[in-house]
Amino acid sequence: MSSITNNNGGLPVSRPFYITTPIYYVNDRPHIGHSYTTVAADLMARFQRLCGREAFMLTGSDEHGTKIAEAAEAAGMKPQAFCDEVVEHYKRAWRDLDIDNNDFIRTTDKRHIEAFRKLLVVLKNSKTDDGQDVIYPGIYEGLYCTGCENFLTDKDLVDGVCPHHNIPPRQVKEKNYFFRLSSYLGKLRKMIETDQLIILPDERRREVIGLFDQGLNDFSLSRERVKWGIPLPFDDSQNAYVWIDALSNYITAIGYGADETNFKKWWYEAETVHFMAKDILKFHCIYWPAMLLAASLPLPNRIFLHGFFTIDGQRMAKSLHNQIDPGELVEKFGTDATRFLLLTQYPFGADGDIQRSRFVKQYNSALANDLGNLVSRVAKMITASFEGRLPGPADGLEGYQELIEQAEQLPETVGDHLRDFRITAAIDEIFSLVRAANRFFDLNAPWKLVKDGQSNKAGGVLYACAEVIRIVATLLHPLMPGKTREILTVFGLDDAVLNMNDARTFFCQKPETKITIKESIFPRLKNGEKKPPAPKSENLSENLIDIAEFGRVEMVTARILAAENVKGADKLLRLQIDLGHEKRQIVAGVAEHYRPEDIIDMNIIVVKNLKPAKIRGVESNGMLLAAHAGKKLVLVVPDGDIPPGSPVG
Ligand code: MSP
């Protein structure tokens, strides 16, 4: 299908746009590494929608294989139950970050398993161009790293351990089925070299070509010993190799083998883009396209592999205790500012370093001082000097034409950057217009113009700034969907203006529109200070929290195993509680209402994900629920004998 370009920054609009993130391992909770790719992909999909293009964004979870099975075992859980629990942390993180994914695929979904097994049958029945079986049985003997879920060679090791996971690989020898990669290497290399499969950035493309030069072997696509996986349809003594299972999510989610129309639309007709970091290059740029070739399916159009970031100069790892939970950032900075901070630490695509200590400074400088201040000063002055009604444009202002030109050029520039995934460059351009508008405001000093009786000119300054704000809010919408809506609301605008045609046109807003600003869009933060809580309103509906906020509170049932008074604290009991898969100590202020011996063995409900706190010197890891019945405090208890650890929601 041919694509047309129109006035939307040169982006093709006739084809739908399909973008994917990696499906993340659910052996542990999400950290900001996962968030980084997911926010970037969400931004890209939202930008395409802004351009009037239909966009589908997919993310999900990779749930099979040894790594997950071992994590489940360590937690004392069955793999499926473990995955069910951990996947909720991912879903919650994506809600917290306002990710507008169209689907979330789990490799344990029935729809995935069925479609994947169909793909395996297709591969099993396929022949290479020279008539050989694509899949053939063989014996694999070698080293295996469960961290990578991949076979390694001696060359890959550093001091005898896997350099990525710092663990020694296992020696394995087993019967496997192999995928005849060697038969597809020539064709694939050519497709990459001629940009039929575009690999970005160029450095990664060169890396992939380098892999062909080093030589690549057929790979084994099944495991005899790995019990947590999808059985091969043609030999159920073997489970599919987790990577083969995982890669196929990109087509099973959109209807491969199940919904031909949907699959055709999103895999054949759409522009397809895979986003990820460079760590999983070989799987995506070699194995996956080769599998698609073998199954006679089209290849994705573009694969973008961004860099890896360190935290304060160190690799991010659980063992180093430096992983940052996206929820922690959202709590401190809010959803949109977190999205902004994640994507602006270093150029998107390159390797970088994230320093926690920079976050507050950067929030204050770009969001509070530049953007927030522009919105506040313009809206406040319209309120104070123009009775809250947007004044009309005026001529004869300093730097007026330059500002208009910069604003009118911006959608084109941002479109160009985003088409090539230069996300940080696009954001920089937008903020450069914000700063230009602040300078324009200072240069023309509308407050002085009002004093000097030149209200018409002062109004013109405000109108021009209001137009810049509208254009900036539109272009920043894919990055900060919530805050940009708030900004538009200040100017009496709504989603109707969120499109590239309006963004390209200066002089869109209607004079006389009511402007309403109550509080700063981005309140300044002091270093170490939390985002100020929203003021309690008299209006009940304004006190409501949304479901995503509530969803962050994890509550479970628990059984009280032991209870004792806390010395020197009349109100406190120290409780040992059973949460099903773990035991914890909590401190509860119920000693005036319950004697320790009365509450042992009671089933209660506790909030599980509170940060640990010391109460009168005693560590408390959670909080129980109790109701205030007049002066009495009564424990909230589940109805029935529910096993400890059952989620409450
Ligand atoms: N399950 C596989 C992917 C299968 S896709 C068919 C996997 N999962 S993962 O949980 O390890 O996620 C890896 C991805 O997380 C990276 O490719 C990247 O998108 C993201 N990141 C994890 N840590 C990161 C950084 N420190 N820096 C940048 N991205 C990071 O691999």
Side-chain angles (χ1 to χ4, degrees):
M1 194 169 165
S2 71
S3 64
I4 49 157
T5 55
N6 72 355
N7 59 352
N8 73 336
L11 292 160
V13 288
S14 64
R15 302 167 73 190
F17 179 79
Y18 175 39
I19 188 160
T20 66
T21 72
I23 50 170
Y24 304 108
Y25 288 128
V26 286
N27 59 322
D28 207 349
R29 294 173 180 216
H31 54 61
I32 59 166
H34 309 118
S35 313
Y36 183 79
T37 318
T38 309
V39 171
D42 181 55
L43 180 156
M44 289 306 309
R46 285 177 183 269
F47 180 71
Q48 296 294 343
R49 293 185 197 117
L50 193 70
C51 295
R53 206 169 166 195
E54 198 182 357
F56 191 98
M57 185 221 161
L58 177 70
T59 188
S61 51
D62 189 352
E63 304 194 358
H64 290 123
T66 318
K67 195 195 200 65
I68 310 293
E70 285 179 354
E73 199 181 333
M77 293 174 82
K78 291 250 161 47
Q80 187 62 64
F82 178 75
C83 292
D84 291 348
E85 190 175 299
V86 181
V87 78
E88 288 306 318
H89 293 285
Y90 276 90
K91 290 188 174 173
R92 183 170 311 136
W94 304 154
R95 280 196 301 269
D96 285 352
L97 285 166
D98 204 357
I99 304 297
D100 193 14
N101 50 304
N102 298 74
D103 201 350
F104 187 103
I105 180 110
R106 301 178 59 183
T107 51
T108 54
D109 283 346
K110 188 163 167 269
R111 59 171 173 156
H112 170 79
I113 296 172
E114 285 175 358
F116 171 57
R117 283 166 59 95
K118 283 189 188 165
L119 176 67
L120 288 174
V121 171
V122 168
L123 291 173
K124 183 75 173 77
N125 294 335
S126 297
K127 301 270 185 217
T128 62
D129 283 347
D130 54 356
Q132 301 189 74
D133 287 336
V134 168
I135 293 182
Y136 65 94
I139 300 287
Y140 188 88
E141 189 168 5
L143 303 170
Y144 191 78
C145 170
T146 42
C148 303
E149 292 286 14
N150 195 16
F151 290 113
L152 303 181
T153 63
D154 282 328
K155 272 194 300 189
D156 297 318
L157 307 183
V158 175
D159 297 332
V161 296
C162 161
H164 301 294
H165 298 94
N166 248 341
I167 48 172
R170 296 175 188 170
Q171 182 71 38
V172 295
K173 179 177 180 185
E174 57 174 46
K175 181 186 155 199
N176 282 170
Y177 286 90
F178 283 78
F179 176 85
R180 207 177 294 277
L181 180 66
S182 45
S183 291
Y184 297 95
L185 291 175
K187 183 167 183 187
L188 184 56
R189 181 179 187 144
K190 200 156 173 219
M191 290 182 86
I192 294 172
E193 284 176 342
T194 55
D195 277 349
Q196 288 175 73
L197 167 58
I198 301 175
I199 293 173
L200 294 163
D202 202 44
E203 192 187 341
R204 301 287 155 247
R205 181 175 177 273
R206 286 198 298 273
E207 199 178 318
V208 175
I209 305 281
L211 290 177
F212 286 100
D213 289 337
Q214 279 167 31
L216 289 154
N217 298 325
D218 292 353
F219 62 85
S220 101
L221 57 67
S222 65
R223 297 286 180 271
E224 194 170 44
R225 271 170 239 226
V226 176
K227 296 296 169 226
W228 177 235
I230 301 180
L232 296 185
F234 43 87
D235 181 349
D236 63 12
S237 72
Q238 300 260 328
N239 277 337
Y241 173 33
V242 57
W243 264 103
I244 302 306
D245 164 4
L247 288 162
S248 69
N249 90 87
Y250 300 131
I251 58 172
T252 62
I254 48 169
Y256 173 79
D259 181 344
E260 215 35 38
T261 314
N262 208 49
F263 182 54
K264 280 254 146 53
K265 172 172 177 181
W266 294 107
W267 197 253
Y268 285 75
E269 290 165 18
E271 182 191 0
T272 46
V273 177
H274 293 320
F275 254 28
M276 73 212 67
K278 61 182 188 181
D279 54 335
I280 47 183
L281 172 140
K282 185 166 158 186
F283 298 103
H284 283 83
C285 300
I286 308 240
Y287 290 7
W288 174 230
M291 283 167 64
L292 289 166
L293 287 177
S296 302
L297 291 168
L299 303 196
N301 297 111
R302 294 195 283 173
I303 303 181
F304 187 92
L305 304 113
H306 61 72
F308 235 66
F309 62 77
T310 45
I311 301 282
D312 296 318
Q314 270 193 317
R315 184 171 65 89
M316 188 165 50
K318 195 172 186 187
S319 54
L320 298 173
H321 303 289
N322 63 351
Q323 290 185 337
I324 302 180
D325 169 2
E328 181 197 324
L329 296 184
V330 170
E331 198 188 324
K332 183 161 182 180
F333 297 101
T335 297
D336 285 16
T338 300
R339 291 168 63 104
F340 168 86
L341 290 172
L342 278 177
L343 291 184
T344 50
Q345 299 307 304
Y346 59 90
F348 184 75
D351 286 336
D353 186 42
I354 289 191
Q355 292 168 21
R356 274 172 179 269
S357 58
R358 272 204 314 239
F359 284 154
V360 172
K361 211 168 146 210
Q362 204 196 342
Y363 169 98
N364 281 337
S365 106
L367 297 180
N369 290 0
D370 292 342
L371 180 57
N373 184 37
L374 179 65
V375 173
S376 294
R377 69 204 303 207
V378 172
K380 283 186 180 154
M381 193 166 165
I382 294 174
T383 312
S385 306
F386 292 86
E387 294 173 345
R389 299 277 165 191
L390 182 69
D395 285 332
L397 310 171
E398 293 279 333
Y400 194 35
Q401 276 319 314
E402 291 86 331
L403 185 73
I404 296 176
E405 268 163 35
Q406 190 177 345
E408 285 184 337
Q409 178 54 40
L410 189 64
E412 196 78 31
T413 314
V414 168
D416 282 350
H417 282 315
L418 289 183
R419 186 183 41 222
D420 292 335
F421 311 118
R422 290 187 299 270
I423 292 179
T424 325
I427 300 171
D428 284 349
E429 289 287 346
I430 303 173
F431 274 84
S432 131
L433 178 63
V434 170
R435 285 189 296 272
N438 272 322
R439 281 196 304 274
F440 169 80
F441 188 96
D442 292 336
L443 189 67
N444 287 285
W447 61 95
K448 275 199 203 138
L449 293 171
V450 168
K451 262 198 193 152
D452 298 347
Q454 300 191 66
S455 286
N456 190 35
K457 266 180 119 180
V461 175
L462 297 172
Y463 181 84
C465 289
E467 275 296 82
V468 167
I469 291 170
R470 174 184 61 80
I471 292 167
V472 159
T474 305
L475 295 173
L476 280 178
H477 183 69
L479 175 65
M480 298 193 280
K483 286 292 175 186
T484 48
R485 280 210 171 91
E486 272 181 46
I487 293 174
L488 292 176
T489 309
V490 167
F491 290 86
L493 300 168
D494 58 23
D495 281 14
V497 301
L498 289 173
N499 64 74
M500 288 301 266
N501 283 333
D502 281 14
R504 201 171 283 110
T505 322
F506 216 83
F507 304 113
C508 267
Q509 286 180 76
K510 286 199 191 75
E512 287 303 309
T513 308
K514 180 98 188 85
I515 309 295
T516 332
I517 185 147
K518 285 194 201 125
E519 55 209 29
S520 307
I521 304 285
F522 295 106
R524 258 190 89 75
L525 293 179
K526 288 203 193 100
N527 225 336
E529 184 197 37
K530 289 226 162 123
K531 195 164 138 270
K536 280 249 158 86
S537 156
E538 292 297 301
N539 179 342
L540 253 186
S541 68
E542 285 178 27
N543 283 337
L544 298 179
I545 57 168
D546 66 30
I547 198 150
E549 266 176 277
F550 179 68
R552 288 184 23 82
V553 180
E554 265 181 72
M555 290 185 285
V556 292
T557 56
R559 178 162 298 138
I560 301 178
L561 302 172
E564 59 178 334
N565 291 100
V566 174
K567 275 197 196 102
D570 297 345
K571 293 188 174 162
L572 300 181
L573 288 185
R574 179 206 302 257
L575 308 177
Q576 307 303 329
I577 58 171
D578 178 5
L579 295 178
H581 303 292
E582 58 168 310
K583 307 214 176 354
R584 284 195 190 181
Q585 169 171 295
I586 63 170
V587 175
V590 294
E592 288 173 328
H593 309 274
Y594 292 90
R595 290 178 307 172
E597 56 272 33
D598 293 338
I599 64 170
I600 291 175
D601 272 345
M602 268 178 86
N603 286 328
I604 54 170
I605 295 176
V606 293
V607 177
K608 190 180 161 192
N609 60 338
L610 275 188
K611 292 203 174 119
K614 280 224 159 136
I615 305 179
R616 293 291 185 94
V618 185
E619 172 138 338
S620 181
N621 289 298
M623 184 178 79
L624 57 70
L625 295 194
H628 292 269
K631 287 191 175 161
K632 249 179 97 57
L633 204 55
V634 184
L635 293 183
V636 174
V637 296
D639 179 17
D641 198 14
I642 291 172
S646 308
V648 174

